[in-house]
Amino acid sequence: MRVLVLGGTGLISTGILKHLRGRGAEVTMFNRGKRAGTEVHQGIEVIQGDRNDFAAFERQFADRKFDVVIDMIGFNVEQVRSAVRAFAGRCRHYIFCSTVCTYGSKIPPGVLIDETFPQQPISDYGRNKVACERIIREAGEGGEGGEGGKFAATIIRPSHTYGPGGQLIDNLESDAVAWDRIEHDLPVLCAGDGLGLWQSTHRDDVGKLFAFAAMNPATFGQSYNATGPTVLTWRDYYRIVAAALGKTAKVIFIPAEWIVKRDPRRFGLLREITQFHGAYDSSKARRDVPEFQCEISLSAGAAGTLESVRQRGTWRSGDAAYQAMVDEALKMGVQPVEA
C-alpha cells in the first residue's frame, strides 16, 4: 500500500506513521521540512514543498500515484481545492483530518455527539474545516477507490489528542503552567464547577484510526469521530494528571467568563472550546475499523507526555499573571478543593 501523508511531523501524524509502518505500507511525507524528524520517520521518503504554492504543489505530484493520501494539514478551502486537483485520479482513497470543533458548542439530548449531529461551529477554525469537508465530500461522491477518475473520501474528526512531542493542555490553555503549580503544591484554576465533560485520546490510539481506515472499503464516503470511549469531567482530568505526577490537585473553581475576561487572547482555548462539554461517540469508528481500540490510559499517557515536555525543555513555570489571578480569587473567598 503506497501512502502519502501531507504533513507527517505533527502529533497525530507520528501515531499514524507508526501504525502505517506496522502495516508494511510504503510511506511518503510531504511538508516544508521545518520540523526535525523523529525515529519513526527514518526510512520514509520526504518531499519538501509548500502546499500554499498551489501550482508548484500540483506539479510535484503530476506524475505520482498513491493508493492513499492522508491530509493532516488542510485548513482552508484553497488548500483543499488544490489537493483535489492534484490527486483526483491519482489516488484511490483520500483521508481528511478535520476536527470535532465543526460541531460547535451545542449538545444533544443524549450528551454524546455522534457523526449525525449538525455542524454549527463557533470558531473560524471549525468553520474552515466544515468548508474543507464539503469540498472533499463532493469530490469523493461516487468514488470507488479511483474509478471514474475520482477517489473515495473519508473524514476523521479528532478531539483533544496528546502525547510525547506535544504539550498537555489543562482546562484553560494549550501550554499549561498548571502542571508545574501542581508539582509545587500550588492551587490551579478550572472553569465552572469542574463537571464539564471532556475526552483526551493519545496520539498513538488516534493514529490507528487513520492508518487502518486506509483502503478499508467500509470507510469510503464516511465521517468518523476519533476519540476514545472514556468520558471524564475536568475534575477527573486534573485528578488523574496530578496523580501521574505523584501529587494531588488543589483546584479553584471559578466562572469561565471571569477567567477569559482577564486575558481573552491567552485563554482562547477556554473561550472557544473547553468551557463547553466535549464528549463524542466514536462507536461508528470502532465498528468500521475494529483495529481502532484505545489502549493508552490518561494516567500513563500524561506521564509520558509530561516527561517529554521536561526532556524538550518546554516545561512552563513561574507565571506571575496566573498567580495574580489565583490571589484575586482567594481574596474573593474562593477556596481550593481537591479534584
Side-chain angles (χ1 to χ4, degrees):
M1 182 170 61
R2 295 166 299 165
V3 183
L4 171 67
V5 179
L6 301 180
T9 58
L11 194 64
I12 298 176
S13 293
T14 301
I16 295 171
L17 293 176
K18 174 181 177 179
H19 294 294
L20 284 175
R21 297 192 76 175
R23 291 190 66 184
E26 178 185 315
V27 182
T28 299
M29 294 193 308
F30 172 87
N31 53 57
R32 295 176 299 166
K34 300 294 186 181
R35 293 187 187 180
T38 66
E39 68 282 356
V40 77
H41 301 144
Q42 301 305 312
I44 292 177
E45 178 190 12
V46 179
I47 301 174
Q48 291 190 3
D50 181 359
R51 77 174 297 172
N52 292 310
D53 185 345
F54 303 129
F57 173 75
E58 292 161 35
R59 283 196 302 271
Q60 283 181 287
F61 295 103
D63 298 320
R64 299 289 299 266
K65 289 191 175 183
F66 298 92
D67 295 304
V68 184
V69 173
I70 301 178
D71 188 351
M72 303 303 295
I73 51 173
F75 300 106
N76 61 58
V77 295
E78 291 81 7
Q79 292 171 336
V80 170
R81 285 184 179 128
S82 174
V84 170
R85 292 193 297 269
F87 300 113
R90 297 191 185 97
C91 82
R92 300 175 64 193
H93 188 193
Y94 193 100
I95 301 175
F96 179 71
C97 181
S98 187
T99 171
V100 295
C101 291
T102 61
Y103 296 118
S105 60
K106 296 180 180 179
I107 59 172
V111 181
L112 295 181
I113 293 173
D114 68 14
E115 293 82 359
T116 66
F117 194 69
Q119 292 178 297
Q120 298 176 332
I122 63 172
S123 66
D124 287 341
Y125 175 61
R127 284 186 284 270
N128 285 332
K129 284 289 192 177
V130 167
C132 291
E133 283 191 20
R134 188 176 301 115
I135 292 167
I136 294 298
R137 192 176 294 109
E138 290 173 356
E141 287 180 357
E144 296 293 340
E147 294 180 8
K150 297 180 179 181
F151 49 63
T154 301
I155 293 165
I156 297 180
R157 301 176 185 135
S159 181
H160 172 227
T161 305
Y162 71 99
Q167 305 299 105
L168 187 67
I169 71 168
D170 70 350
N171 177 245
L172 275 60
E173 53 190 335
S174 299
D175 189 7
V177 73
W179 314 128
D180 182 76
R181 293 183 62 85
I182 288 173
E183 192 164 63
H184 290 88
D185 299 312
L186 296 172
V188 296
L189 300 168
C190 182
D193 55 9
L195 298 180
L197 301 180
W198 191 249
Q199 283 172 300
S200 295
T201 313
H202 194 276
R203 61 116 196 258
D204 288 353
D205 287 332
V206 175
K208 289 180 189 177
L209 181 55
F210 286 85
F212 286 95
M215 290 308 298
N216 177 346
T219 70
F220 293 175
Q222 300 298 317
S223 300
Y224 299 101
N225 294 334
T227 60
T230 303
V231 179
L232 302 173
T233 68
W234 279 106
R235 284 180 183 246
D236 295 328
Y237 184 90
Y238 278 96
R239 174 177 49 79
I240 292 168
V241 177
L245 292 169
K247 294 289 184 175
T248 298
K250 299 166 185 170
V251 187
I252 295 172
F253 296 108
I254 200 158
E257 295 83 357
W258 186 90
I259 299 171
V260 171
K261 183 178 179 180
R262 273 139 189 85
D263 195 335
R265 183 180 180 87
R266 172 174 176 174
F267 300 118
L269 177 72
L270 176 63
R271 185 184 71 247
E272 293 186 349
I273 299 175
T274 52
Q275 68 170 306
F276 307 108
H277 286 310
Y280 305 92
D281 181 355
S282 56
S283 59
K284 177 183 174 184
R286 290 190 294 276
R287 180 198 69 196
D288 290 353
V289 185
E291 297 87 352
F292 178 49
Q293 299 298 322
C294 295
E295 301 173 320
I296 302 174
S297 68
L298 177 60
S299 177
T305 301
L306 292 176
E307 180 58 30
S308 168
V309 172
R310 293 186 202 274
Q311 292 175 355
R312 289 180 287 113
T314 56
W315 185 271
R316 281 194 62 194
S317 61
D319 191 315
Y322 193 107
Q323 181 61 50
M325 293 171 65
V326 169
D327 291 341
E328 185 179 353
L330 292 173
K331 286 180 181 178
M332 292 190 302
V334 184
Q335 294 301 311
V337 298
E338 290 189 2

